[in-house]
Amino acid sequence: MDEKQKSLLLKASSQFPIPPGVKFSYGTAGFRADALILESTVFRAGILAAMRSMKTRSMIGMMITASHNKISDNGVKIADPSGGMLTQQWEPFADALANAPDSDSLLRLITDFSKKENIVFDGTFRAEILLGRDTRPSGESLLEAAKQGIHSIVGSVGIDMGVVTTPQLHWMVRARNKGMKGSELDYFEQLSSSFRCIMDLNPGGSVNSVDNKLIVDGSNGVGGEKIESLTKMLDGLNIELRNSGAGVMDILNEGVGADFVQKEKVVPDGFGSNDVGKRCASLDGDADRLVYFIVPSADTNKIDIVDGDKILSLFALFVKEQLSIMNIKGSEYNSYQPCLGVVQTAYANGASTHYLKELGLAVTLTPTGVKHLHRKSEDYDIGIYFEANGHGTILFSEKFLSWLEDKREELASAPEDSQQKKAVLRLLAVSNLINQAVGDALSGLLLVEAILQYKGWSIHDWNALYQDLPSRQLKVIVKDRTAIITTNAETEVLSPMGIQEAINAETAKYPQGRSFMRPSGTEDVVRVYAEASTQDAADSLANSVAKLVDKYLGISNS
Ligand code: 16G
Ligand code: MG
């Protein structure tokens, strides 16, 4: 590193001292904290993004968001050239960078790491970072900090995409690195044209007119604004947007949004007795989560949640159906058997896993966090993943897509009503509609709507695919959650010793009982999950396991 680069880094970083007494961790989905203490972290993440761009010789993404967290929080995460999450190999460097106590140690870290990674700071490569932020007021000043970080590496530029959803930014990074057009308008055009294509191929069975309207809870975040732009480009979809964030009292994620409805299972603000029986959907604050719900009666504030597991089941059913339409016995299509797999986490309701296995699908569990599910889904020709909380998408392998393209050509002269041809065209359209970079509430919502229309199903028909087992989630505050080591996709605890045996003994007392504990990757708590054949039983099992967590690890246990 030459003297010019060194002094640039020293000078810029001295403007962003780290707050005393805080330890930052890249965590499950990037750095997250109170926005007031994040400037140095975002500045340093800007340096990291520029170095990652130099290393990969590609465009990198940087998104400023704290997703479903409260409005006063913010965060930052990095998107790799594929549009996916930052490689896990760089996470320890991200942590070290964020916590380096002063400019000199920061410089030393950068010098050592760049030597190890063969990154040469000679200013000859133009590192490019696409920057996005959600609607949080703190986003603007944090964006400035990000730019300062980027500019402290000679030859690096930040391209500001403004206020976007997290999946939009990931999509743009992926598109641009593939040499395709990657503006917001391109994103909307791709989604709307592929949606139209699937709808045009639908057999014409339509849901009844009352049910035809979809009511969307925008979580008072960026998703609302974007869904409005998208709906303007769409026919055949009647969307009423609530919680758009436009009103003075509309506070981001407060009593609204996908995280709230999925965890609390109660009616979000802006919804009520007039919505009984209607098809409703909630996005989270940065629109990478999607869940649906039904208000079952005017007498209760409880909702029936149609969560990520049900979305996964709907997608899996649809894709499997298209594959079997193409795979007529004795035909040439038998020569290649695409492998369809589904990926869930331990939070997936046991009833969903049972349903998917009954469909004959390979079901795999990974630890919590999109990066784990996404990576596992890449093992399949078609990998569908969802977390119960609404993060998920469908990944198509290059091999499968080029096979589909060949089939399209072969079937070009087949009659318009050829079912095989339609199935091929449908799957190609799905691969364009559904975000291949990361789970995306907007593209996921369009695919759900198109499939319901295809099947002529109401939300009630969809919800009846299987019945969720009653479940309960609890949080427990402990002395040190890093003392916990889990295995088998977080379904078992290795350390502290003895706790797993105690959990097993409790769980065995309940019919259809299942429970696990895991340290949160985003909060300083331990999470407990339990399910059983009745709500009372699930509550009681969750409470017993929470007591065990407290006994083995709790604050009171000192
Ligand atoms: C983050 C993750 C999400 C995960 C959640 C778990 C991404 C983009 N988001 O929101 O996948 O379900 O954390 O939080 O990876 P927890 O560790 O606090 O339970
Ligand atoms: Mg989110």
Side-chain angles (χ1 to χ4, degrees):
M1 190 185 293
D2 63 16
E3 289 309 313
K4 181 181 162 210
Q5 176 64 80
K6 268 187 198 159
S7 71
L8 188 59
L9 268 169
L10 286 173
K11 189 162 166 244
S13 59
S14 67
Q15 308 295 309
F16 294 94
I18 62 165
V22 191
K23 186 159 189 312
F24 295 100
S25 162
Y26 195 79
T28 319
F31 295 110
R32 248 178 236 186
D34 189 308
L36 293 173
I37 58 165
L38 262 181
E39 278 201 349
S40 68
T41 313
V42 176
F43 165 82
R44 290 163 184 217
I47 299 177
L48 179 126
M51 290 174 69
R52 187 80 191 134
S53 173
M54 291 164 80
K55 169 77 189 180
T56 58
R57 304 258 140 188
S58 305
M59 190 174 273
I60 291 293
M62 196 169 169
M63 181 71 196
I64 297 171
T65 177
S67 180
H68 57 278
N69 288 29
K70 55 185 189 289
I71 190 162
S72 52
D73 283 356
N74 216 325
V76 61
K77 60 181 162 188
I78 309 289
D80 250 2
S82 63
M85 304 293 173
L86 171 71
T87 175
Q88 273 173 273
Q89 271 115 40
W90 277 44
E91 285 182 15
F93 176 57
D95 288 346
L97 214 54
N99 295 302
D102 49 44
S103 297
D104 287 326
S105 41
L106 187 73
L107 189 60
R108 242 187 336 271
L109 264 175
I110 295 171
T111 314
D112 292 350
F113 189 72
S114 54
K115 267 193 203 131
K116 195 174 127 232
E117 294 284 332
N118 293 321
I119 299 170
V120 183
F121 296 95
D122 56 7
T124 53
F125 177 74
R126 187 183 136 98
E128 286 184 320
I129 294 58
L130 274 198
L131 290 154
R133 62 185 172 92
D134 70 15
T135 51
R136 287 177 160 80
S138 56
E140 263 180 77
S141 62
L142 291 176
L143 181 80
E144 272 317 302
K147 285 183 182 163
Q148 298 287 321
I150 293 167
H151 295 153
S152 67
I153 300 293
V154 177
S156 303
V157 289
I159 304 164
D160 184 2
M161 304 310 292
V163 173
V164 288
T165 70
T166 296
Q168 277 185 315
L169 188 85
H170 285 262
W171 184 95
M172 289 167 182
V173 170
R174 179 184 159 88
R176 287 171 189 233
N177 281 320
K178 279 176 157 271
M180 291 164 1
K181 292 194 288 177
S183 71
E184 180 168 84
L185 186 63
D186 298 318
Y187 168 87
F188 286 139
E189 272 172 0
Q190 180 162 329
L191 262 58
S192 54
S193 64
S194 46
F195 175 72
R196 210 171 303 125
C197 179
I198 305 176
M199 295 291 271
D200 288 347
L201 290 160
N202 273 349
S206 76
V207 278
N208 71 52
S209 58
V210 178
D211 202 46
N212 212 11
K213 182 156 88 178
L214 168 69
I215 311 173
V216 176
D217 156 21
S219 202
N220 293 325
V222 58
E225 178 194 317
K226 302 301 176 189
I227 219 165
E228 284 199 308
S229 313
L230 185 58
T231 356
K232 284 191 194 125
M233 300 172 73
L234 293 171
D235 293 328
L237 200 56
N238 182 0
I239 292 186
E240 180 184 331
L241 175 66
R242 307 225 184 120
N243 305 328
S244 66
V248 269
M249 299 301 283
D250 291 352
I251 299 174
L252 178 70
N253 299 331
E254 218 171 273
V256 294
D259 189 61
F260 175 81
V261 298
Q262 194 252 343
K263 287 224 175 79
E264 307 298 328
K265 297 196 177 66
V266 297
V267 178
D269 277 0
F271 288 72
S273 50
N274 286 339
D275 303 316
V276 170
K278 294 182 185 162
R279 191 163 81 257
C280 304
S282 273
L283 323 178
D284 75 335
D286 63 338
D288 63 352
R289 286 195 198 183
L290 170 71
V291 294
Y292 276 67
F293 66 91
I294 307 164
V295 182
S297 119
D299 307 330
T300 167
N301 73 340
K302 296 258 179 294
I303 54 167
D304 290 338
I305 185 86
V306 184
D307 63 3
D309 301 337
K310 279 254 159 78
I311 300 176
L312 169 64
S313 302
L314 183 73
F315 287 0
L317 184 70
F318 175 77
V319 170
K320 189 166 184 286
E321 216 165 285
Q322 304 314 307
L323 289 176
S324 56
I325 293 173
M326 290 191 289
N327 190 20
I328 292 174
K329 272 206 165 46
S331 83
E332 64 202 283
Y333 299 100
N334 274 335
S335 58
Y336 166 61
Q337 289 289 343
C339 179
L340 167 62
V342 294
V343 183
Q344 304 189 295
T345 72
Y347 286 109
N349 195 281
S352 75
T353 312
H354 179 75
Y355 172 80
L356 291 161
K357 286 186 175 163
E358 289 283 295
L359 270 186
L361 296 172
V363 183
T364 317
L365 295 193
T366 70
T368 302
V370 169
K371 60 190 174 194
H372 301 295
L373 293 112
H374 193 95
R375 188 158 7 90
K376 182 65 202 166
S377 302
E378 288 172 338
D379 289 350
Y380 303 100
D381 290 307
I382 309 166
I384 314 181
Y385 70 87
F386 261 90
E387 292 186 312
N389 62 24
H391 276 292
T393 193
I394 309 179
L395 300 184
F396 293 87
S397 72
E398 290 297 335
K399 180 179 170 202
F400 178 64
L401 286 179
S402 67
W403 180 80
L404 271 184
E405 287 291 356
D406 289 349
K407 290 294 145 217
R408 178 181 27 203
E409 273 176 36
E410 277 171 33
L411 291 165
S413 54
E416 281 309 302
D417 60 354
S418 153
Q419 290 307 312
Q420 287 178 339
K421 182 174 173 173
K422 284 189 175 178
V424 169
L425 293 177
R426 267 189 209 111
L427 286 182
L428 278 171
V430 171
S431 75
N432 287 322
L433 171 59
I434 200 85
N435 195 327
Q436 300 287 289
V438 79
D440 181 340
L442 299 192
S443 73
L445 178 146
L446 292 186
L447 185 55
V448 167
E449 294 298 310
I451 298 176
L452 291 181
Q453 195 85 21
Y454 163 80
K455 294 194 86 65
W457 277 4
S458 69
I459 189 167
H460 306 280
D461 299 323
W462 170 26
N463 194 32
L465 278 180
Y466 60 83
Q467 201 179 353
D468 278 327
L469 279 169
S471 66
R472 176 65 60 206
Q473 287 192 48
L474 296 175
K475 291 186 203 185
V476 188
I477 297 175
V478 298
K479 270 187 296 195
D480 177 15
R481 77 191 203 284
T482 62
I484 303 166
I485 301 170
T486 63
T487 184
N488 282 341
E490 302 178 316
T491 56
E492 284 174 51
V493 188
L494 292 175
S495 170
M497 296 257 285
I499 190 167
Q500 187 58 49
E501 288 70 21
I503 293 175
N504 291 347
E506 274 307 313
T507 309
K509 295 178 188 164
Y510 297 85
Q512 293 181 283
R514 186 171 72 89
S515 69
F516 64 91
M517 57 166 274
R518 54 173 283 276
S520 159
T522 64
E523 268 183 87
D524 195 9
V525 296
V526 169
R527 298 202 195 280
V528 168
Y529 176 90
E531 65 186 30
S533 55
T534 66
Q535 191 60 55
D536 283 350
D539 291 351
S540 157
L541 177 56
N543 279 320
S544 306
V545 176
K547 279 195 192 116
L548 288 173
V549 175
D550 194 51
K551 180 174 157 204
Y552 280 79
L553 291 138
I555 303 251
S556 49
N557 169 37
S558 42

